Amino acid sequence: MALSEKKDQEFQEKLGLSTSFNMSIACWPVYQMLFGMALELIFKAIVVASGDKPSHSHNLVTLSNSVDVEINQSEQDILKLLTESIVWEGRYPVPKNKDFLE
C-alpha cells in the first residue's frame, strides 16, 4: 500500500488533522474517480486514433464496447462503479439531469 500508517501519522501531524484521520480511506474515492477518468480517456483516445469522433458519454461499459474491448460480467460491474465515480466524485457535484436524482 502506497500510504502506510507511518505516512498517515506524518500527514496528520503536518496538516494538523486528528489522529482518527486515515489517508488511505480518504483517498479511496479520489483513486476510483481518477482510475475511471483514465480508462475513459484511453477508450476515447482509441476512438480518436481510429479516425472517429468520441461520444460525450462517461459510461465506461458503452465506451469499452465502442472500441471492441471484450469484458466479462465482473469487469462490467467494475466499469459501472467507476462510471459512477467519474460522474459523482468530481465532475458533477449535482445532477445535470433530473433522472440522475433517483
Side-chain angles (χ1 to χ4, degrees):
M1 181 107 192
L3 296 172
S4 66
E5 283 188 33
K6 183 179 178 184
K7 288 283 186 192
D8 272 357
Q9 289 173 349
E10 289 176 31
F11 283 117
Q12 288 167 347
E13 291 170 10
K14 288 181 181 179
L15 299 174
L17 301 170
S18 76
T19 55
S20 64
F21 183 84
N22 186 314
M23 189 63 78
S24 301
I25 293 171
C27 289
W28 185 246
V30 175
Y31 166 79
Q32 287 180 310
M33 180 191 66
L34 293 174
F35 186 41
M37 288 178 169
L39 288 173
E40 179 182 356
L41 182 62
I42 290 168
F43 292 147
K44 288 182 177 182
I46 293 169
V47 170
V48 170
S50 70
D52 293 328
K53 188 174 180 177
S55 73
H56 292 287
S57 172
H58 302 297
N59 186 318
L60 296 176
V61 173
T62 302
L63 291 170
S64 69
N65 290 334
S66 72
V67 296
D68 296 325
V69 173
E70 291 185 29
I71 55 175
N72 61 36
Q73 185 59 51
S74 176
E75 292 164 335
Q76 271 190 16
D77 293 341
I78 292 168
L79 291 180
K80 288 175 185 176
L81 171 70
L82 294 174
T83 297
E84 292 296 314
S85 294
I86 292 169
V87 173
W88 294 108
E89 296 296 341
R91 291 206 175 156
Y92 310 112
V94 294
K96 289 177 64 177
N97 181 325
K98 69 176 181 158
D99 295 335
F100 288 120
L101 284 171
E102 299 172 16

